[in-house]
Each structure stands twice: as C-alpha cells, then as structure tokens.
Amino acid sequence: MSHQLKDDELHGKQGEHDAPGGGWQSVQATETHFLREKVPFKGNSLMLKINQPDGGFECPSCAWPNPKKPGPLEFCENGAKAVAWEATAARTTPEFFAQHSVSELLAWSDHALEKQGRLTHPLRYNPTTDKYDPIDWETAYREIGERIQTYDPTRVELYTSGRTSNEAAFLWQLYGRMIGTHNFPDCSNMCHETTTVALPQSIGVGKATTVLEDFEHADCIFLFGQNAGTNSPRMMGLLHEARLRGAEVITFNPLRERALVKFANPQTPKDMLTNHGVPISSQYHQLRIGGDIAAIQGICKYLIATDDNARDNGGKRVIDHDFIHMHTDGFEAFAEHCRQLPWERIERHSGLTRAAISEAAEAWIRAERVICCWGMGITQHMRGGDNIHQILNLLLMGGHIGRRGAGACPVRGHSNVQGDRTVGIFHKSGEAFLSKLDELFGIECRREHGHDVALCCEAILRDEVDAFLGMGGNFFRAIADQARVCAHVEKIPLTVQIATKLNRSHLIHGQAAYLLPALARTEKDVQAGVEQTITIEDGMCNVQGSKGALEPASQHLRSEIAIVAGLARATLAPNPKVDWAWLAEDYARIRDKIEASQPETFYDFNQRLAADGVFHLDIAARDRVWNTDSGKAHFLFPQDHLTEDESEPGDAHFQLLSIRGHDQYNTTIYSYDDRYRDIYGTRMVLMMNPRDIEKHGFEAGNKVTLSALSDDGIERTVSGFKIIAYDLPENCLGAYYPEVNDLIPVANRDTGSNTLAAKSIPVNVTLMSTEQIEADTGLLATG
Ligand SMILES: Nc1nc2c(c(=O)[nH]1)N[C@H]1C(S)=C(S)[C@@H](COP(=O)(O)OP(=O)(O)OC[C@H]3O[C@@H](n4cnc5c(=O)[nH]c(N)nc54)[C@H](O)[C@@H]3O)O[C@H]1N2
Ligand SMILES: Nc1nc2c(c(=O)[nH]1)N[C@H]1C(S)=C(S)[C@@H](COP(=O)(O)OP(=O)(O)OC[C@H]3O[C@@H](n4cnc5c(=O)[nH]c(N)nc54)[C@H](O)[C@@H]3O)O[C@H]1N2
Ligand SMILES: [Mo]
C-alpha cells in the first residue's frame, strides 16, 4: 500500500527555514576531510598555497577561475577535500598488492580502492598470481615500448583525463602522433565536448566569452543545468555578491539544488554569524529533464511577442535589433519559428507553465547585462548541441556577447580539461596545427580523424584495440555501457594506466598491464635539481602556473611529463628534433614548443607567465569578431524538435538523470553522504517524485531494478536502488553517477559531438523480489 508523503519526508526539499548551502557545515566538513586523511588542517601552510598566483598550486578540483586578487584562503570545501584526498598520509604499497589479488580487489567499492591512499611504485600485472608486482621504471618503459612498436598504430588509444597539465598533455599527444595514432579519447568527450562543438557553430569560438569580472557587472545570470554549490563552489561567492547588489539569478534545473536556493558564504562574517545565508535564485524553474529547448524557445517567444507588440504600438523595443542586424544572421527564421510554436506544446515539453516562462523572460527584459551559464544538465543530452544553440540565441537577441557584464559561460569540469584540448589533445585536429607539428618535429601526423571516447568504446567492443594508455582518470568506470565494454578489455593486448590512486580502471586490465604512479599537482616536481612549474587553463581561458608544495608521496613517483618522455624514448626511433630527456628536464622548454606549435595563441608563453603568473587567451567573440563561415554569429535551432509529429514526452517510461553527490569527485567517492540532498550513508538511491511513487504502487524505501530502454535489443539493468521521495518533476528520476553507468547505451549521445547522454536515460523501474534483494551483494552501497 502506498501512502502520501508529508512534506518533511521529502528529500531535497528546501523551504524557507532549512539550512543554507555553505555556512558552518561547510567549514566543519573541510576539517573532517583533513582529519580523515590525517593531514593537519589548522594553520596548515598547504591551504595558503591554493590558487595563489606566485608560487602556489592550482586547486586540482574544478576549473572555476581565480579572482585577480585572491583572498588568503582562496579555496572551497570541495577543493579542500580534493587536496586532502591527494595529500593523504595513506599509501597503496607493493605489500598491499602482495596481499590482495586483482579479482579480490574488483569486489571492493570505488571508495575503498582509492581510500588505500597514494600509489607508491610502478607495477606490472602478474597473470600467474593475479596480482600486481613492483617493477623498475626502465623495465616498464622498455616492455611497454617494445609492445607498442608491434601494433597497428590505428589500434592504439591514448586517453586523457582533465587534471593533466598543458605540458604533459602536449607531450602526450606528440607521443601519440609520433606512434602514428590519432585516437585521443578525452574526458571532455563525456563532458563539455558538446560546448566545444556547438558553441563555435553559434559564435565562432568554443570557450567562455565571460571573464570573472563580468559577474560583478551582470544584472541577470541564468543557470542552466549546473550544480555550482557542489561542483564549482567558488562560483557561489560571486552569485552571493550578485544577489546582494540586486542582480537576478534565474535557475533552470529539474532538482532543487540546495546551494542554488540559499547560500551562506563561508568567507562572509555576517552569514557565518547568523548561518542564514542569502537566497541565490530569484526564480527557480524545475523543468522536465531535457525540457530546456522548449523552455528557452518559450522565453524567446515571449520576447519576440513583446517586441512585435512594441513595434506595432510604438512602445519600447526589447530586442537589440542593431546588434542582430550588424552581427548575426538567421534571426528572422528563428523568430518565425518561435512565433509559430504553440504555448501548449512549449508547456508540455518543458514541464513549465507559460506564466513561469514569461516571468523568466521579464527578468531578461529588465536586464541590461545577461550572463548564461551551463553545465552537464545541458551538455549530456542527445540534443545537447541544440540546447547550447538555444542558450546562445537568448544571448544574441539582447546583444549580450562582447559587452561588459554579459556573455556565455560554459562551466567546465576538470581543472585543466580546457587546456588539454587547447594544446592539442584532439582526435580531429585541424591541418594548421598538424602541419606545424610536422614541420617542427620532422614527423608526419596522421590526418584522418581518430577516436573520441564513444568511438574508442565501440572499437573495444569490436575487439579492435591493441593498446589502451590512460593519462589519469578512471576511463572504464566513467564511460557509458560500462559492463559491456569492460567485458572486452581482457582481450586488449596491453593496458597502461598513469595514476595517483588505485581505481577500478586499473583492475579491468588487458593481457599485459602496467600501473605507473605519478606525482600529483600538490607535490614538488624537481627536475635536474630545479623545482618545475606546470600550467593549466581554467574555464575562463586564463593560463596560469602551478607549483607543488608537498614532498612527493613516494620517492619512486615520476612526473607525468617524465613518464611520457620515458615511454616515448622506449617506443620511438631517435628523432634529432625531439629530445625527450632534454624536454623533460625543464618544462619551460616544452612551453617553447607549445608556443612554436600555436604562435598566435601562445606567443611569449614563458615571458607572459613570468610577468604575472597568469594571462588570458584571446577570445575573438569578446570583441565581436565571429570566426564562423559567414563572419557573423548564427541563430540556430533544430527544425525537427517541438514539431507536431515529434513524439510527446509521455508517462510511458521514466527519464533518469545521473549526477554527482556532494562528497564525490567524479568516480572518486570521498564518502557516502550528500549533505545538500539530505542523503546519508548510501549512494544506492533512486530519487522519485512522490506522486510517481504513489501512481506506480511503490513505497519510499522499496528496492528496485532499473532497466534501460534502447533500440538495440540489449538488456541493461542495475539493481539494489532504494526509492526516496524527492523534489523533482514527475516522470523524472535521479541517481548517482557512476553507479548507473551500465544503463547508458554507448549509442545514446549528442549527435553533433558524441558526448554521452548521461542526463536523459530512458528507463523502466520494477520492484525487486525478496530473493533478489537477499542475493544482492550491495557492493557499491557500502565502504
Ligand atoms: N566537488 C566536485 N566538483 C566537481 C566535480 C565533482 O564530481 N565533484 N566534477 C567536475 C566535473 S568533471 C564536471 S564536468 C563538473 C560538473 O558539474 P555539473 O555540471 O554541476 O554536474 P552534475 O552533477 O552532473 O549536475 C548537473 C546538474 O544538471 C541538472 N540537470 C540534469 N538534467 C537536466 C536537464 O535536462 N536540464 C537542466 N536544466 N538541468 C538538468 C542536475 O539536476 C544537476 O543539478 O564539476 C566539476 N567539479
Ligand atoms: N553517468 C555519468 N557518467 C559520466 C558523467 C556523468 O555526469 N554521468 N560525467 C562525465 C564527466 S563530466 C567526466 S569529466 C568523466 C570523468 O572521467 P575521468 O576523468 O576519467 O575520471 P575521474 O573520476 O576524474 O578520475 C579519477 C582518477 O584520476 C586519477 N588521478 C587523479 N589525479 C591525478 C593526477 O594528477 N594525475 C594522474 N595521472 N592521475 C590522477 C586517480 O587515479 C583517480 O582515481 O566522467 C563522465 N561520466
Ligand atoms: Mo567533466
């Protein structure tokens, strides 16, 4: 029997009187994480070094930029967690690997694996004992190099996760291109690739057109599909300030994310005294999953109707026609599309009322300076690119690009995911870059396009991969169709993982397997007696230096750069134009090569870095220069969406979104708590609207199986999820990533960019039987 839930039984509900995001709880959580990792917190000089321009290190957590004048403690709760996790006193030693076989470790949770601490020695898989044994670096390089020499280069994959520095990433892609491969699956392919592809189609550049100072001048900030309180907490300070000076913040998100409702800034004494916080979102629109195109076109429809009306009656126009005329094309077709779109269809697809959408449009009209931000709730959809085009239409209609206090702000994930692409990690690099590399290094780069993450997974499924090399990350845990792909990995002749901590991707291995431990960003990197600086590019295009402060976790660690150089020397025939050892001795030499490969972007690289410790890359659209085919910005919209014959969002099945909890960094699980969502002690939950719980005859607390719907006839299920009543729209479900990654067919991806569609997984939900519940090991549910 189902029962009606009382309001206070609802998870994720945030009323007037609930605790804000941030606040004292945030300070407390920071300290707990340091204590847990046995890193002293109070007065710790380490924390004073985060995100400081001179001699500090860049926080390894998210890509949010630093202010020009950083405060003395320029970090957030989750940055501190990431640092504590890296600086932990725990070690995963050869003795540990002697005690535990790989098959045994496979049954451990993700949390338990990383919790063992930092890797200390290079390791090689021993098939006789099913264990990892220590090995010396030179033997590892030699054996790996000899194997790679025998493979067809188009069957070699080089993965990059976004913590890797510019210098390491540049050498990594050079190594790959010199092997002869063009397969560079990149964590970006699961993340903001959608932005990288769709944004240039609209405005000619794939990066943020805002800088941090723009947030100080904006009147209205739209937040689409992004959970800043957890995933880019330093952004909260800016939103907090914006609200205090009267700017509006308009959020579109199926979930009510606590910090976006109300936030107490841990750096603001008044908030901390009262622990009350400031309301962040002036409007909060809980739209349907995937309802953004309809919602934004609804806003545009309202704006166009208001403007048409003003034109006919001599009122004040609300659309910036001068800008549109001078800088864009395609507006009339888009306007006509919006005029024709029935409100009833907009409401049905967005799940929002006409009144709510009109309210958002009114805020846009009131504002002179509008910023639109977006995250994974926009990019990880089959229509992710269309989502982004609509956001840009909204900005272009008001001339909100190339104006102080306005612009497009994709909020990027990994701290250097943007820089890795800029310096050359790309499976579709263009002719200009490739011919430059050919000339500089006397090589011949492969021209045809290689594999991204989705194509790499498909190649693994076809058993067409001979070597998979991972520069950081946790590829086999982060991807779609995890179980299917992983079942083929044992057929890969060689897997090599360069990592800081043990994770599942090290246990899902090829016939020969190596695990190479790297220095982390917080650690001193000394080469030829000199402490080295690496660089990263944040999500707003600032390139900056980072220098580690801690002693390395083990004397056997090597820098990522040294490891690439070691692998390259062992794999490639000598080339007088690429002296790997010489490059790895002084990272400024690598920056010179980066500059030579892209002089327009990286001119005077070392000099600019030395001058201020940071410089901003030129973004043409900021100056209203549009690097598109026509030299103008484009209004783009899908012709086949919201049409009469498109299938309606019905209640035949659910749409599931997969998200991050507050105590997690991607596949790294710090703990089983998600404070902002009132979920404690487990991640195996399924968030469901109370009316859906009732309608389908479930009860909160029921254990269920989720089965994905797909066209390929393959059964994909995950079990053991406990239903919790949650404040999200009907027919929408929420669960944690990566626990649900088995459910996502690798074919479910954004059409333009191949980005996995992790935010709209069509599923059915069924109750588990008592026998099934008893047989369920609950592997992922506990530490
Ligand atoms: N602490 C911490 N920080 C991180 C990370 C981490 O795991 N932990 N990961 C880093 C990385 S790599 C990335 S990419 C970023 C990710 O940062 P986010 O982009 O914030 O990532 P998600 O947790 O996936 O949350 C996406 C949000 O989109 C909403 N959403 C889902 N579907 C839709 C939809 O259809 N429409 C709209 N409008 N909203 C939707 C969800 O409810 C959720 O609030 O964070 C980075 N920073
Ligand atoms: N269902 C679903 N799937 C998703 C997502 C989602 O929202 N939903 N999000 C996607 C997104 S946005 C992303 S970015 C990917 C993330 O995919 P990845 O980037 O591959 O995964 P991470 O969990 O960030 O990788 C963590 C591992 O990186 C290693 N590591 C940490 N620091 C360093 C370092 O400095 N150097 C080296 N060499 N290794 C290091 C550690 O061993 C750690 O275990 O997942 C994607 N998958
Ligand atoms: Mo990401």
Side-chain angles (χ1 to χ4, degrees), residues 191 413-414 660:
C191 186
H414 266 301
R660 295 153 169 80

